Amino acid sequence: MKITYILFLSLCLLLFPNSISAERPSLQAMINEAEAGGTVMIPPGYYEENITIDKPLSLIGERDVTINSCENAPVVKIKSEGVQLSNVLVEQCNEDNGDLAAVYVTGDQHHLSNLEIQSSQMGLQLFEANQIVVEESTIMGTRKENGVDLWKTNDTTIKEVKIDTILDGIYMEQSHRNTIVQNVIENARYGIHLMFTNDTVIEQNQSQHNFTGAMVMEAQNVLIKNNDFSFNNQNVNSQGLLLYLTSDVVAENNLFASNRVGVFIEDSSDAAIANNIFQSNTIGAQWKNSSDNSLVGNTFNGNVNDTQANESANNIIKNNYWDAALKLDIDGDGVSELPHAADPYFMALVQRIPEYQLFFQHPGITLLKQVFNGPEDELLRDLEPSMVYASSENGQKNDKQIILWFVDVVFILVSFIFIQKWRRSL
Amino acid sequence: MKKVIYFSLLSVVIGVLLMGCGSDEVQPRAINEETDKCPVCNMSVMDNQFATQVVLEDGLSHVFDDLGCMYVWLDENPDEEIAATFVRDYNNEEWIRSEDAFYVYNMDVKTPMAYNMISFEDQASADEFIAENEGELIAADALADHDWEMNHEMMEGHGHEGDHGHGEMDSESHTEEGESTH
């Protein structure tokens, strides 16, 4: 008798949750039933389906809402205009189609917030969309495809999005007047990647531990301000920021720390690089075939090589602080009387055969450099180097300094005690 | 006497071996996505159908992420001694000598640097691609005269691109192969 009861109970338990999910309408059915302009609150649950939102609608997860799909289609597809999607976890697990995005957005004026996207392919794709806002979200990928991919998408803001383990963090092509602020991008090939994209604002982002912090290619009128491009040093071609075929780029108050190359500027003109901190990079700023740019008021501190340049004449370089420069200020105006020059000889040498980097600072190279000195007009020269060191506002560094001070004090105390003991024992 | 014969035989054998070495075909090298960078545009070179390669007489080779980048490089370095140039078949990604390949120019194909030129090992597969996707067949010897320009539509003003490109494509499925290569 008992056994029958137990069997009956366990059968009930098995059936009970199933009966609930069977009664629960599908997400798509809820969307279809809702009127345009209305709001759908999604009850907590795990929804295994692909949904399409094709009318103005607010779709908000109450809590613990997961939408999952491994089908060959975006998990969430947003069309029309004025769609709001919020507080939802989206899982894309398709392994075959590399062009597939977890969330695909087209149309205008959508608002996406508090999303958690986990994708085996692309995270969020904005395709011919305008005036979109994406904020306070996370995107986690598998390094195969881009985190956020913009194609012909304009006037869009991407704010406070944390992007990890993807190909390019934010990839923008033929997309204009977009704003990228306060995002954190790590473990990407390129953190931020612009192609044929104009009037972009990149502000207060953290792009670290990527092959390249930001690749700005074929772009005009880009403002890059108050960003932290650090620790982009894992790859032989790593750099903090790359400008290629750009014009009118302003990069100011950024921190370029511990990169292979802080900033690489190639075939670019009218870039203003001002008041940045270049710290502990292998090469601070590297120039190639770039003219009419300016490098003013930056601080170069603790770099293996401050700058290297070739075929880059007519750049305005002044008032930078170079820790490696010989400095002499006679009239006390905070500007050194001795010009500081960067010789392109070594760079020209390793450009053809990169393996020659092994000879960095080799006495033979120094001798060769003196014998075959580069042409005068190719030298990168700061005629008015600054005497004043702008300190890094990097919190991490301050923390480290405090620890160092603490260790110092402990060492002094311990050695003092030892000396005292030793003297007493004599 | 025997020694002399042995030595002469040995030298003949070595000579033949050395001649064999000398007549070796120039071979393209494999691409390492981790370290290879296009010397023109600085992008990582992905090991895909858009990669191209120049092998120099001194054994050095340069790999490019886009056929257009290779032509920019060839144009900028006319004095380099080039042993061979290679492109890849769009379908099977096998290396082919660039002079033996057939090319298709199609504005809808997204190549890494938007030069929109792809290569095929034979004319049949190029024709097949054109039949399916449109495009213009370009002979290998006409490539140097091609106007290598990136298709970025920037000339048309900011943000208001014309409707050219992507006409063939279903904008929702967005299934062009080039997409993943940027």
Side-chain angles (χ1 to χ4, degrees), chain A residues 166-200:
Chain A
I166 27 65
L167 188 67
D168 294 353
I170 299 172
Y171 177 81
M172 308 163 80
E173 185 168 346
Q174 295 181 39
S175 299
H176 309 294
R177 300 179 303 278
N178 298 299
T179 306
I180 313 287
V181 280
Q182 295 171 345
N183 302 288
V184 178
I185 306 160
E186 290 180 339
N187 303 312
R189 181 181 70 157
Y190 308 143
I192 300 166
H193 189 178
L194 275 60
M195 293 265 276
F196 318 121
T197 286
N198 302 331
D199 309 303
T200 308

Side-chain angles (χ1 to χ4, degrees), chain A residues 77 79 98-99 104 122 125 127 145-146 149 151-152 154 167-168 171 173-174 176-177 189-190 193 195-199 211 215 217-218 220 235-237 242 244-245 264 266 288 352-353, chain B residues 33-37 39-44 46 56 58 60 80 110 112-114 150-154 157-162 164 166 169 171-177 179-182:
Chain A
K77 188 189 281 184
K79 298 199 278 191
D99 297 330
Y104 173 90
M122 203 184 290
Q125 185 175 23
F127 188 88
E145 293 295 329
N146 300 333
D149 188 287
W151 169 262
K152 291 189 180 174
N154 306 313
L167 188 67
D168 294 353
Y171 177 81
E173 185 168 346
Q174 295 181 39
H176 309 294
R177 300 179 303 278
R189 181 181 70 157
Y190 308 143
H193 189 178
M195 293 265 276
F196 318 121
T197 286
N198 302 331
D199 309 303
F211 280 11
M215 296 279 273
M217 306 175 71
E218 302 273 336
Q220 294 171 15
N235 187 269
V236 288
N237 303 315
L242 174 113
Y244 175 71
L245 280 171
F264 189 100
E266 182 173 354
K288 193 177 163 194
R352 184 167 172 84
I353 301 171
Chain B
E33 291 188 355
E34 286 286 305
T35 55
D36 279 329
K37 183 176 85 162
V40 173
C41 73
N42 291 306
M43 291 237 296
S44 299
M46 305 301 260
L56 302 180
D58 61 9
L60 278 177
E80 293 283 354
K110 285 172 135 192
M113 285 302 285
M150 285 174 272
N151 160 33
H152 46 73
E153 304 175 334
M154 287 209 306
H158 296 183
H160 301 288
E161 295 87 3
H164 101 224
H166 300 273
M169 203 174 71
S171 66
E172 284 173 25
S173 63
H174 195 39
T175 51
E176 288 186 55
E177 281 186 88
E179 175 63 23
S180 60
T181 59
H182 294 251

Side-chain angles (χ1 to χ4, degrees), chain B residues 50-162:
Chain B
F50 304 112
T52 63
Q53 186 166 161
V54 169
V55 182
L56 302 180
E57 287 290 357
D58 61 9
L60 278 177
S61 73
H62 294 294
V63 287
F64 304 85
D65 60 341
D66 193 305
L67 183 61
C69 284
M70 180 167 91
Y71 270 86
V72 170
W73 188 89
L74 290 171
D75 190 45
E76 286 174 356
N77 297 276
D79 301 333
E80 293 283 354
E81 291 177 8
I82 292 154
T85 51
F86 294 92
V87 296
R88 271 177 155 175
D89 180 65
Y90 186 75
N91 298 318
N92 65 22
E93 297 183 15
E94 290 293 327
W95 288 109
I96 6 167
R97 296 286 283 240
S98 66
E99 61 270 26
D100 300 335
F102 293 83
Y103 298 88
V104 173
Y105 180 63
N106 179 335
M107 298 281 267
D108 290 347
V109 179
K110 285 172 135 192
T111 66
M113 285 302 285
Y115 286 100
N116 310 97
M117 182 82 79
I118 52 175
S119 42
F120 294 89
E121 61 185 353
D122 50 41
Q123 193 171 350
S125 41
D127 286 341
E128 194 183 328
F129 182 89
I130 291 169
E132 283 174 18
N133 305 284
E134 295 187 357
E136 185 190 343
L137 183 74
I138 293 179
D141 50 8
L143 266 195
D145 301 327
H146 178 74
D147 186 15
W148 290 102
E149 248 184 52
M150 285 174 272
N151 160 33
H152 46 73
E153 304 175 334
M154 287 209 306
M155 307 307 165
E156 295 171 36
H158 296 183
H160 301 288
E161 295 87 3

